[in-house]
Amino acid sequence: MKSVKDDLKEIAQGYFDEAIRYYKNGREVLKSAKIEYNLYIDTKPVSEACAMGYLGVLKAIDGYLTLRGIEKTQLPHSYNGYLKLLAKYLAT
């Protein structure tokens, strides 16, 4: 029989896997960007890659918060929400 802690680890692992997927997708998008004189010529792929990286970090934070016992319905939906929960759970 699986314990609650095992269930939380499984749910969190799903968030971590998704975060890695976002990261890898962002890297692939960035590879398609043309570089000239060590500068990106087209900023659109760079912006897309940064957005994917940002979303990946949020998914990783969701995984961390899940491990700390936060339910999916209680996960933050805003930047300030993430700041408040991280301040609370990283301080302890």
Side-chain angles (χ1 to χ4, degrees):
M1 189 166 120
K2 287 173 46 171
S3 68
V4 173
K5 192 171 185 178
D6 290 337
D7 287 340
L8 289 178
K9 284 182 182 179
E10 190 175 312
I11 294 168
Q13 188 60 50
Y15 283 117
F16 296 142
D17 291 343
E18 193 172 356
I20 291 169
R21 215 171 78 227
Y22 274 108
Y23 169 75
K24 287 181 178 179
N25 288 345
R27 285 190 57 147
E28 287 303 314
V29 168
L30 199 55
K31 285 180 184 177
S32 71
K34 294 180 182 176
I35 301 174
E36 204 172 277
Y37 305 110
N38 290 328
L39 297 172
Y40 289 102
I41 297 171
D42 188 7
T43 59
K44 185 175 184 254
V46 176
S47 296
E48 289 175 0
C50 290
M52 287 180 198
Y54 176 76
L55 292 173
V57 169
L58 292 181
K59 290 297 178 184
I61 293 170
D62 287 346
Y64 170 77
L65 292 173
T66 300
L67 285 175
R68 296 298 299 241
I70 301 296
E71 294 181 19
K72 185 176 183 174
T73 57
Q74 296 174 326
L75 290 173
H77 297 286
S78 68
Y79 177 79
N80 288 335
Y82 278 102
L83 284 180
K84 287 178 186 175
L85 277 180
L86 285 175
K88 179 179 178 181
Y89 286 99
L90 289 178
T92 57

